[in-house]
Amino acid sequence: MMTMDQGAAPQTEGGEFVVSPHPYATQLRTERLAREAALGSRRETLLYLNGVNKTFDGFKAINNLSLVLERGEMRAIIGPNGAGKTTMMDIITGKTRPDAGEVYFRGEVDLTKHDEPAIASMGIGRKFQKPTVFESHTVEDNLALSLSGSRSVLTALLHKKSAADAGKIDEILATTRLTDKRKRLASGLSHGQKQWLEIGMLLAQDPELLLVDEPVAGMTDAETEETARLLRDIAQKHSVIVVEHDMHFVRELGVKVTCLHEGSVLSEGSIDHVSRDPRVIEVYLGR
Amino acid sequence: MRCMLKRLSLLWLLILAGLAAAPVWAAEGDAAAIVQSFGGKQGYDETETHIKEAAATGDPAVAPALRALRDGNLYWRKSDEAVFIATESGDTLKLADPMTGADAGTAPKDDFTKVRVKNSIRVAVTAALGSLTLRAENAVQRLRAADTLFSEADPEMIEPLDGAIAAETDATVKARMEEARAAAVLESDRPAEEKAAAAKVLEQRGDREALNKLATFASSTKDEAARGAAERAIAAIESNIAFWGQAQNVWYGLSLGSVLLLAAIGLAITFGVMGVINMAHGEMVMLGAYTTFVVQEQIRQSAPFLFEWSLAIAIPLAFLVSAAVGLVLERSLIRFLYGRPLETLLATFGVSLVLQQAVRSIFGPTNRQVGNPDWMSGAFDVGMMSVTWNRLWIIVFALLVFAALLLVLNKTPLGLQMRAVTQNRKMASAMGIRTPWIDAMTFALGSGIAGMAGVALSQIDNVSPNLGQGYIIDSFMVVVFGGVGNLWGTLVGAMTLGILNKLLEPFAGAVLGKIVVLVLIILFIQKRPRGLFAQKGRFVDA
Amino acid sequence: MILARFLGPRVIVLVAVLLAAAVLVPAATLALPASSPFHIPAYLVPLIGKYVCYALLALALDLVWGYVGILSLGHGAFFALGGYAMGMYLMRQIGSRGVYGNPILPDFMVFLNWKELPWYWTGFGEFWFAAIMVVLVPGLLAFVFGFFAFRSRVTGVYLSIITQAMTYALLLAFFRNDMGFGGNNGLTDFKDILGFPIQAETTRAGLFAASCVALALGVLVVGAITRSKLGKLMVAVRDAESRTRFIGWRPEYVKLFAFTVSAVMAGIAGALYVPQVGIINPGEFAPVNSIEIVIWAAVGGRGTLLGPVIGALLVNYGKSVFTGLAPEYWLFVLGGLFVLVTLFLPRGIVGTIDHGWSALRERRRAARAEKGESMGEGGVSSQAAE
């Protein structure tokens, strides 16, 4: 996917220039080049998983999983129960450490070395399968807590609401159609509204990558359609991974699909390609 | 009560020893004449000479007279200076023949004079008795004589000891005699090689008394070679004592560990398996201890012959009492609070206050006396450490309870259902298991085990309304340390904490040792928040 | 009034009442003649002062339990540490008036044959130093303890149990004579504070006023914290800790902040408590004491500002009355209170009233919305607000 030619560059340059650069600059440059050389094929990717393994009490939840997401891409992930979808999300967001394998964000950040808040601050947002919002806060406060910005305790103590924040919250409320619920407690929302609020919280974080776990579970058809539209909107500006069971919904998204089975990739391609793959049919219908 | 029993048994032993010590010796003549020489006015020096003469006869028949002399029971008649052993009763004396012990009637006290004794005389008598009884027929007596001579360590006794050792047939007694001889040799002016050999003998003995003898010798002797031998022996003994000291600490640790295990194992069920935090768990233990008290009271009043069986009767009763209280607690309170652990904690704490006060109101605030049956009393020695029967039985009991619980959990239908409910409540319910009933039974089981722990604790701790409080924090520490939901973790956790506590005590003192352990646990939780034997899996909430 | 808008009317009223009490109660006991119906007997002043200190302690616990969801069973330890710091100052003030008349060493040290003051007693001769320690020692302990506990994500009952173990360990430690804190007997026989005789009615009135002011400040601080964005974050951590993590917050730092602030407040409460009751001993570290604080907050209503204050006053008043009438039954009452409150009044008194009130308003608003009226200002307060 990537060609590597920087490796040879230092020698030619070093030979031609008479004025030697500052030693520290040289050092920085060598380090950068070494880093880029190490990046190799994952340099241009947003998310890069290679040979990831995770075992729980002898159960292989993730088995030699490799997956690459390009910048700006939206990807749907399907798979039967126990295929390792949620564990994969856990690994990406730092909740679970893999036993082996590489997980890189933006080609260079090793996600296995960071914890959840650090990864969230880097720009990976996550929506859970079961909507989790702050029930005793209003919709507005839920969004305010999620807004990107300093995550320091003292700043939070002295924080004053700014006009920019208010504008952004208004915008998200409009996107998620929750404007008239602004002052409601989150506990008073319907299931679908909670899902949307959680997506709204993701947007408030303004992440580069959104991980969305079963966003339409328990939704009505109308809500499902609405959610698909919302996600397509979001995908204009963000990279998204959607985990979903609902094939109809996946088809509606119209993006590249990866099918997981027993912790590794079974099939990958367009929805039509994947749904015609005999192995996928066997996993879903066979046995 | 316990104390009385001990005294009684001691008395009994003494009587037995006395009977054995009073065989009628036929030998008269020389010995009799010497005994008679105690009669008449004489100085302490004279008396001491007579004692030496008596000892020199080697005839055990003079022993009763010497003993009487030491105890101030030897009298002579003013009229004829005849010597008698006599006991006072009011103004009269009850007389006995000094050689045969035969009854010699009574006589007014004024007609007799007591042979005067002072401490130096007593010491001389003891030494003389020691050498006399070396040849006694009874092995216990010979052993006692050897021990007396060991602590006296009189060089003059070396020769009698040599004779006795040559004649001795009992290996234990012979060894003691050799030790006594070695102690005497160290005090004597014998050559250095012999003293070095004696130091070796004492090293074999290896206890604190031997250490004292050697230390005294090493600090006083001028002979380099002998001192070297003594110092080597001292070092060897000290390391031996240190080893046994550690062994004793480990033993105490195991004992504490088994107590912790008993207190924590019920908690491992209710907290570990069910996830219910029961702050009244300690009070379940306390109820078990009070059940034991009530059982013993009933037995004392109506069937004293059953006393030896009181614990065997109390164990099932305590289980039932605590289990019943646990059942009521679960049905009336805890089941409304499932899934709200902090609220459960508070409510059960309230229950613990109520139970404590209830027991205080019924039985009074003071400690109640629970007796040890004979098989729970006393101690025996293993090497240089002392093992008490009650601690030993409690360890055995704790392990039995542990094994029984494993069996219940793994082999019975109730255990199967319990495990099913804890792993997946909804699924278990769908399979037709009555989950509320299983909850109640599990809680009752955990509480019942706490009750049985109370029976054991009543044997080593004060039975008071606060009994449970002393164990609750430690028990939680055991469960948290060992890992929730794993009985083996509880076992390892209890034993580790028990031994750690006791090994730290000599360095840090009891209280500081406990604090160190608490701090270590807190640090340990840092590393492994789920304990030693943690449950793993993707469903464990991070 | 920006302040009033920011803090809400209830906080303002509470603070006003406390400040009024700080002035009026001393006046009523000192200035009014005994015949006046408003006269407060002198013996009552330190008693009420004690309750006020307890209220501050309950408020401190509420900050961590009610708002962040950390059920600390060790807050008595912070209270006691603050009390000991104050007690050490008061001990040094005795000077040569002790039984043994030693100008430097407190009596118990003379008794133990100690020759000089342990190093950690230096400085306690000065009030300012003691005052700093009152804040620093509990705060530091809470910070270190919290740092380790929260970092390793010890939560829920586990945290409760290790906080209990912490106070238990301190209890054992302070019972020791060689710790240098008076062992079993603790510190007592105080003579004066800042030069005023400690038994005098005026001093007691002053201490009472100081306690009221401290509580008022505590209410303001907790009110300001909980109204800030951080306060909202605290409630978020309480309700869905892992979610806060996935949007980039570090809940351990939120908890650490609340825990440390709370410990400092508890320490101040302890420091004000000791001169009013005249003694501090290791019994204050007993785990039972710490759990009692929890019930004060629970009765009044956790997660509210008013609740713990009311709860502490009510329960302790009840305790005084009961122990006077039938001391043996007090534990039954207290135990029953634990059970009944958790079963039937989980929100506490204030929380239940608030909840009923907001439910009523919600219903009215729904009714109005049905009629098609425009909504007024939507004022649904969260249970945690105020």
Side-chain angles (χ1 to χ4, degrees):
Chain A
M1 200 201 288
M2 252 309 296
T3 50
M4 275 302 310
D5 53 3
Q6 273 93 344
Q11 275 99 353
T12 29
E13 278 182 15
E16 279 173 25
F17 287 103
V18 183
V19 181
S20 65
H22 189 274
Y24 184 57
T26 322
Q27 191 195 333
L28 278 182
R29 191 161 166 279
T30 332
E31 276 176 13
R32 181 172 58 83
L33 289 174
R35 209 165 55 229
E36 284 183 4
L39 281 178
S41 57
R42 60 171 196 260
R43 184 150 176 261
E44 286 296 304
T45 63
L46 182 64
L47 189 67
Y48 176 91
L49 275 72
N50 187 24
V52 178
N53 277 295
K54 179 71 197 179
T55 308
F56 292 113
D57 294 335
F59 168 68
K60 269 191 173 268
I62 296 285
N63 184 13
N64 199 19
L65 173 70
S66 301
L67 186 119
V68 171
L69 190 75
E70 304 294 330
R71 291 175 198 232
E73 189 186 344
M74 178 164 179
R75 175 77 60 91
I77 293 188
I78 59 170
N81 276 330
K85 301 174 305 245
T86 303
T87 308
M88 185 191 79
M89 296 258 206
D90 285 348
I91 288 175
I92 296 170
T93 52
K95 189 183 174 198
T96 304
R97 298 238 177 288
D99 301 331
E102 303 172 301
V103 185
Y104 283 93
F105 182 55
R106 291 196 202 113
E108 55 180 354
V109 186
D110 185 351
L111 291 181
T112 58
K113 294 202 165 56
H114 297 274
D115 64 353
E116 301 101 306
I119 291 173
S121 302
M122 281 172 208
I124 297 182
R126 178 175 184 183
K127 198 202 87 58
F128 286 84
Q129 193 172 333
K130 185 170 167 272
T132 38
V133 293
F134 305 125
E135 306 253 332
S136 42
H137 282 318
T138 60
V139 169
E140 189 179 15
D141 283 343
N142 264 285
L143 293 176
L145 280 176
S146 316
L147 276 181
S148 58
S150 164
R151 290 294 191 247
S152 129
V153 167
L154 286 181
T155 343
L157 180 64
L158 305 170
H159 180 83
K160 275 207 195 88
K161 258 186 202 158
S162 69
D165 287 354
K168 191 141 186 236
I169 289 175
D170 287 343
E171 193 186 309
I172 293 166
L173 285 173
T175 319
T176 52
R177 315 210 156 177
L178 289 169
T179 309
D180 58 337
K181 304 283 190 297
R182 174 192 279 265
K183 296 278 181 190
R184 279 289 194 84
L185 288 187
S187 56
L189 297 180
S190 74
H191 180 77
Q193 286 166 339
K194 277 185 192 168
Q195 298 271 32
W196 284 343
L197 173 57
E198 211 182 350
I199 294 174
M201 288 163 73
L202 273 186
L203 289 175
Q205 262 178 282
D206 198 18
E208 204 169 340
L209 170 64
L210 280 83
L211 305 176
V212 187
D213 202 349
E214 303 203 7
V216 296
M219 278 191 178
T220 62
D221 283 354
E223 282 174 330
T224 304
E225 219 162 280
E226 199 59 30
T227 310
R229 184 195 56 79
L230 184 59
L231 281 178
R232 277 197 305 267
D233 267 8
I234 291 169
Q236 306 285 318
K237 284 188 230 157
H238 308 265
S239 305
V240 184
I241 292 181
V242 184
V243 167
E244 190 47 76
H245 272 307
D246 188 335
M247 290 304 244
H248 179 69
F249 174 74
V250 173
R251 195 171 287 278
E252 205 157 297
L253 288 177
V255 295
K256 191 173 171 185
V257 175
T258 299
C259 178
L260 292 188
H261 177 56
E262 289 179 349
S264 47
V265 174
L266 188 68
S267 178
E268 202 167 81
S270 72
I271 180 73
D272 293 326
H273 169 79
V274 170
S275 56
R276 272 198 301 272
D277 191 321
R279 286 173 303 175
V280 175
I281 295 169
E282 194 200 324
V283 165
Y284 267 92
L285 302 173
R287 280 192 293 180
Chain B
M1 185 63 218
R2 209 183 306 170
C3 202
M4 266 254 289
L5 271 176
K6 263 192 195 144
R7 259 183 229 158
L8 270 177
S9 53
L10 198 66
L11 197 67
W12 186 235
L13 265 179
L14 283 177
I15 291 169
L16 278 180
L19 283 178
V24 180
W25 296 89
E28 294 269 333
D30 250 11
I34 288 168
V35 167
Q36 289 305 323
S37 69
F38 286 114
K41 269 205 161 61
Q42 54 188 264
Y44 287 125
D45 291 351
E46 236 177 301
T47 311
E48 205 164 332
T49 321
H50 293 318
I51 292 169
K52 290 234 165 83
E53 285 167 8
T57 62
D59 188 345
V62 298
L66 286 180
R67 220 171 275 133
L69 170 64
R70 182 187 57 195
D71 300 341
N73 289 334
L74 199 65
Y75 292 78
W76 51 276
R77 194 148 56 202
K78 284 174 184 162
S79 54
D80 61 356
E81 299 192 349
V83 172
F84 291 93
I85 296 173
T87 43
E88 267 184 60
S89 59
D91 284 343
T92 58
L93 288 174
K94 200 167 172 308
L95 301 177
D97 185 276
M99 301 304 289
T100 61
D103 190 10
T106 55
K109 202 172 157 188
D110 292 345
D111 296 348
F112 287 81
T113 307
K114 193 187 277 188
V115 182
R116 292 184 307 149
V117 281
K118 60 174 187 177
N119 269 342
S120 67
I121 299 283
R122 289 197 190 95
V123 170
V125 169
T126 309
L129 280 173
S131 74
L132 282 176
T133 44
L134 277 176
R135 304 292 189 91
E137 268 192 5
N138 182 297
V140 175
Q141 246 185 316
R142 296 201 302 272
L143 201 64
R144 217 186 286 161
D147 283 349
T148 315
L149 288 177
F150 178 82
S151 46
E152 296 286 325
D154 183 356
E156 285 186 27
M157 296 308 296
I158 294 175
E159 273 168 30
L161 273 166
D162 279 339
I165 288 167
E168 185 56 60
T169 50
D170 185 314
T172 320
V173 179
K174 193 168 184 171
R176 295 283 185 90
M177 285 176 173
E178 274 163 357
E179 284 157 17
R181 181 182 183 278
V185 167
L186 285 186
E187 295 289 309
S188 70
D189 46 11
R190 300 217 168 189
E193 305 86 72
E194 232 179 286
K195 288 185 177 173
K200 209 78 193 147
V201 172
L202 288 184
E203 183 188 323
Q204 290 297 318
R205 179 178 166 115
D207 63 357
R208 266 179 206 290
E209 285 163 49
L211 191 65
N212 290 341
K213 295 275 178 219
L214 284 166
T216 325
F217 172 69
S219 64
S220 63
T221 186
K222 297 204 168 51
D223 191 326
E224 283 300 324
R227 180 158 63 218
E231 274 163 0
R232 273 194 301 281
I234 287 173
I237 292 177
E238 272 173 351
S239 79
N240 192 38
I241 286 179
F243 168 78
W244 283 106
Q246 287 301 322
Q248 181 87 63
N249 283 335
V250 170
W251 165 254
Y252 285 145
L254 282 177
S255 163
L256 177 65
S258 66
V259 169
L260 288 179
L261 177 64
L262 275 173
I265 199 167
L267 207 63
I269 300 272
T270 52
F271 180 48
V273 177
M274 296 176 75
V276 169
I277 184 151
N278 179 15
M279 295 298 273
H281 184 80
E283 277 57 46
M284 302 295 170
V285 176
M286 184 257 298
L287 286 180
Y290 272 92
T291 307
T292 318
F293 168 71
V294 171
V295 165
Q296 286 199 349
E297 282 301 292
Q298 290 305 318
I299 284 178
R300 272 202 197 113
Q301 280 169 17
S302 45
F305 56 90
L306 277 176
F307 186 78
E308 289 294 297
W309 293 94
S310 59
L311 296 187
I313 298 167
I315 287 172
L317 281 177
F319 180 88
L320 289 178
V321 167
S322 292
V325 173
L327 193 68
V328 171
L329 181 61
E330 200 276 341
R331 284 290 90 189
S332 63
L333 180 62
I334 290 174
R335 70 177 169 131
F336 300 111
L337 297 170
Y338 280 129
R340 289 157 63 194
L342 296 182
E343 274 87 346
T344 315
L345 189 158
L346 291 179
T348 51
F349 182 78
V351 171
S352 87
L353 290 182
V354 171
L355 284 176
Q356 273 177 42
Q357 186 57 44
V359 167
R360 201 172 283 130
S361 301
I362 298 170
F363 293 99
T366 50
N367 293 347
R368 286 310 188 146
Q369 193 72 54
V370 172
N372 294 117
D374 279 348
W375 51 273
M376 285 288 276
S377 336
F380 61 94
D381 288 341
V382 175
M384 286 170 66
M385 70 183 197
S386 149
V387 174
T388 49
W389 280 108
N390 55 4
R391 298 269 172 185
L392 183 65
W393 281 122
I394 285 174
I395 292 180
V396 171
F397 180 63
L399 292 177
L400 282 180
V401 169
F402 181 78
L405 193 62
L406 273 186
L407 221 60
V408 167
L409 281 183
N410 291 325
K411 301 281 178 212
T412 64
L414 175 67
L416 182 66
Q417 296 184 346
M418 267 163 62
R419 283 179 295 140
V421 171
T422 49
Q423 277 170 26
N424 192 333
R425 172 171 297 271
K426 277 187 192 149
M427 194 62 206
S429 175
M431 302 279 287
I433 297 174
R434 295 199 321 215
T435 53
W437 187 78
I438 294 295
D439 286 336
M441 282 299 118
T442 313
F443 197 82
L445 178 66
S447 304
I449 292 171
M452 299 207 291
V455 180
L457 288 183
S458 75
Q459 294 296 301
I460 52 170
D461 204 341
N462 297 325
V463 177
S464 76
N466 301 327
L467 173 74
Q469 281 194 315
Y471 291 96
I472 185 75
I473 291 183
D474 285 339
S475 308
F476 272 120
M477 288 295 135
V478 166
V479 177
V480 169
F481 177 68
V484 166
N486 189 319
L487 282 186
W488 288 102
T490 310
L491 176 69
V492 175
M495 291 304 167
T496 313
L497 291 190
I499 292 173
L500 193 63
N501 244 317
K502 289 297 174 185
L503 287 186
L504 279 173
E505 255 176 36
F507 304 106
V511 173
L512 222 58
K514 210 163 188 167
I515 294 170
V516 171
V517 170
L518 281 177
V519 171
L520 284 180
I521 290 176
I522 290 173
L523 290 178
F524 176 80
I525 296 179
Q526 303 297 308
K527 278 278 151 222
R528 305 195 60 162
R530 308 254 141 213
L532 267 184
F533 292 74
Q535 277 182 319
K536 279 176 253 160
R538 57 192 284 238
F539 298 110
V540 173
D541 187 30
Chain C
M1 287 286 290
I2 300 168
L3 194 68
R5 266 189 79 85
F6 179 60
L7 290 170
R10 216 189 264 180
V11 172
I12 301 299
V13 171
L14 180 57
V15 168
V17 167
L18 284 171
L19 292 180
V23 176
L24 294 180
V25 170
T29 178
L30 296 176
L32 291 179
S35 56
S36 158
F38 297 108
H39 175 79
I40 296 174
Y43 74 90
L44 272 181
V45 174
L47 189 67
I48 308 174
K50 196 173 90 171
Y51 295 168
V52 173
C53 293
Y54 284 153
L56 181 57
L57 178 57
L59 184 66
L61 180 79
D62 188 45
L63 179 64
V64 288
W65 184 36
Y67 290 93
V68 201
I70 306 166
L71 177 52
S72 164
L73 297 182
H75 254 54
F78 303 127
F79 181 79
L81 284 174
Y84 264 97
M86 177 58 86
M88 285 160 81
Y89 162 75
L90 295 172
M91 275 323 250
R92 295 296 306 278
Q93 294 305 298
I94 297 173
S96 53
R97 285 169 290 176
V99 177
Y100 296 106
N102 190 310
I104 307 279
L105 296 185
D107 277 348
F108 73 89
M109 288 188 196
V110 182
F111 186 76
L112 290 174
N113 264 327
W114 290 17
K115 294 293 166 243
E116 55 188 61
L117 216 53
W119 59 268
Y120 46 84
W121 273 75
T122 41
F124 278 96
E126 303 293 331
F127 183 79
W128 62 267
F129 183 83
I132 291 174
M133 287 300 138
V134 162
V135 171
L136 201 63
V137 173
L140 207 61
L141 175 65
F143 186 84
V144 172
F145 185 89
F147 179 80
F148 284 114
F150 301 140
R151 197 190 54 160
S152 54
R153 301 194 186 173
V154 180
T155 53
V157 288
Y158 286 88
L159 189 74
S160 303
I161 289 170
I162 64 166
T163 52
Q164 187 172 41
M166 174 194 76
T167 193
Y168 184 59
L170 284 169
L171 169 76
L172 294 178
F174 273 74
F175 262 123
R176 290 170 62 90
N177 274 329
D178 51 8
M179 280 286 285
F181 296 109
N184 203 1
N185 300 323
L187 310 175
T188 188
D189 290 333
F190 308 133
K191 303 291 184 216
D192 46 35
I193 177 167
L194 288 168
F196 301 103
I198 207 158
Q199 301 280 0
E201 285 183 18
T202 45
T203 316
R204 294 191 150 180
L207 284 167
F208 177 86
S211 306
C212 286
V213 171
L215 180 57
L217 282 175
V219 170
L220 285 174
V221 166
V222 175
I225 291 176
T226 53
R227 284 289 180 117
S228 73
K229 186 176 179 184
L230 179 60
K232 292 192 170 132
L233 185 56
M234 286 177 178
V235 175
V237 168
R238 180 191 73 188
D239 292 346
E241 179 176 341
S242 69
R243 193 81 192 88
T244 61
R245 222 175 248 136
F246 285 109
I247 55 177
W249 295 102
R250 293 203 172 270
E252 54 269 34
Y253 294 153
V254 177
K255 291 177 175 180
L256 192 55
F257 175 83
F259 197 58
T260 309
V261 169
S262 169
V264 167
M265 284 171 61
I268 293 173
L272 287 164
Y273 167 86
V274 166
Q276 298 190 69
V277 297
I279 184 169
I280 174 84
N281 62 28
E284 296 291 341
F285 286 104
V288 181
N289 283 23
S290 292
I291 288 196
E292 253 184 69
I293 309 167
V294 174
I295 202 64
W296 303 338
V299 167
R302 65 191 148 108
T304 68
L305 272 183
L306 202 55
V309 175
I310 291 181
L313 297 180
L314 271 183
V315 176
N316 282 296
Y317 177 70
K319 183 176 184 173
S320 295
V321 170
F322 237 96
T323 43
L325 290 176
E328 61 272 33
Y329 291 112
W330 167 243
L331 278 184
F332 284 131
V333 174
L334 187 64
L337 212 52
F338 272 100
V339 175
L340 294 179
V341 166
T342 44
L343 276 187
F344 302 114
L345 205 65
R347 293 172 204 274
I349 296 171
V350 175
T352 305
I353 294 172
D354 273 1
H355 185 70
W357 182 245
S358 67
L360 195 71
R361 272 208 295 196
E362 185 87 342
R363 219 177 303 145
R364 263 196 219 148
R365 205 175 60 165
R368 247 186 306 171
E370 232 166 69
K371 278 184 206 159
E373 287 180 23
S374 66
M375 281 194 289
E377 73 164 76
V380 185
S381 60
S382 73
Q383 187 212 330
E386 292 185 76

